[in-house]
DNA sequence: CTTTTTGCAAACCCTTTGCAAGACA
DNA sequence: TGTCTTGCAAAGGGTTTGCAAAAAG
């Protein structure tokens, strides 16, 4: 099934590019809709998912929360602030050899992995300090 | 807030212990309810979450899926079959030093991490082979 | 008695789906 | 034209919440 190059696709990709930090599909929807009120929520969800599957954008699956998208497609990990929900990149080297190790240990054919950190972001650390 | 020792707590912990492999909260609910029809779904969700927070049981957060629980509390990783949804343990050594590295790279105070593998389980590999 | 918990049902969030109308190639 | 895609609204899965009644300490 050849994939078509629709206006919405452009708009959504562009919208994602402008939202700096790991927006959720709904945030992209809200943003895009300000300039293009006609666009449908389902289209945004479908398109982001499609682009992510094609590898054109990154998808960050968050434990217990909405998926987030990233206009940069290269693999990297993320931290999530357990106080405010903020998500940031973690520029730690990508784990090497773990997939093979996991394959050996489990018998699965491993296709990939997700590593997510939990923690408290600098801003929330500051709040804690001042309120304590 | 002192935590009380209720009948339901016992029943739920016991129910989890009997379900072998990483049941979801709803699976625990269904199982528990066979012997104790009066128990409420919300109670099961609340209790499992509570026990997990207390560290008495393990919680496996699955990308894009229901949380799963584990009566064993020690830290280990998991694989999820992208075909059938099955979840298994992966007995690979727990990552050492990544939390510190992530803290350094991000400025967060890191409290933990989650590593999840995706792949195809042995059974599904067999299906693929035979149907191809 | 006081405070935590429970059970119920309804609410909630995030996402997907069915389907007819519309847009691409 | 053929078939992808869209938009809409509704359904869906998983989990949480408000609240009065019940139970624990």
């Amino acid at each position: 099934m050849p994939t078509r190059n629709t206006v919405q696709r452009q708009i959504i990709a562009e919208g994602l590019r402008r939202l700096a930090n790991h927006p959720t599909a709904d945030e992209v929807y809200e943003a895009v809709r300000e300039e293009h009120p006609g666009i449908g929520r389902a289209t945004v969800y479908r398109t982001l998912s499609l682009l992510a599957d094609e590898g054109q954008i990154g998808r960050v699956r968050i434990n217990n929360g909405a998926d987030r998208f990233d206009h940069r497609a290269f693999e990297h990990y993320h931290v999530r602030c357990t106080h405010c929900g903020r998500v940031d990149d973690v520029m730690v080297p990508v784990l090497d050899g773990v997939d093979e190790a996991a394959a050996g240990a489990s018998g699965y054919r491993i296709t990939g992995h997700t590593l997510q950190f939990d923690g408290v972001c600098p801003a929330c650390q500051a709040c804690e300090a001042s309120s304590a």
Side-chain angles (χ1 to χ4, degrees), chain A:
Chain A
M1 47 151 164
T3 175
R4 288 184 184 172
N5 199 17
T6 68
V7 199
Q8 288 84 342
R9 228 94 113 180
Q10 317 278 7
I11 294 175
I12 293 169
E14 167 60 22
L16 175 61
R17 217 168 296 126
R18 269 193 309 194
L19 291 179
N21 246 324
H22 313 298
T24 62
D26 235 68
E27 286 166 351
V28 175
Y29 170 60
E30 292 298 342
V32 150
R33 160 195 233 221
E34 285 179 15
E35 299 207 3
H36 307 270
I39 211 158
R41 171 185 263 103
T43 301
V44 175
Y45 274 84
R46 272 188 293 232
T47 301
L48 287 172
S49 206
L50 183 90
L51 294 175
D53 289 345
E54 286 180 345
Q56 300 189 222
I57 64 175
R59 165 193 269 138
V60 189
R61 296 188 193 276
I62 296 294
N63 288 341
N64 256 346
D67 278 7
R68 287 156 181 280
F69 296 88
D70 192 331
H71 61 101
R72 292 152 301 173
F74 66 89
E75 188 184 2
H76 59 278
Y77 303 126
H78 297 90
V79 220
R80 184 192 201 197
C81 178
T82 47
H83 271 55
C84 67
R86 178 193 174 99
V87 172
D88 279 297
D89 294 322
V90 176
M91 290 315 181
V92 155
V94 170
L95 295 177
D96 195 47
V98 269
D99 288 358
E100 292 69 28
S106 66
Y108 276 59
R109 171 157 52 75
I110 302 293
T111 54
H113 66 256
T114 307
L115 175 59
Q116 180 194 314
F117 295 94
D118 295 301
V120 183
C121 72
C124 287
Q125 288 180 48
C127 291
E128 280 180 349
S130 64
S131 70

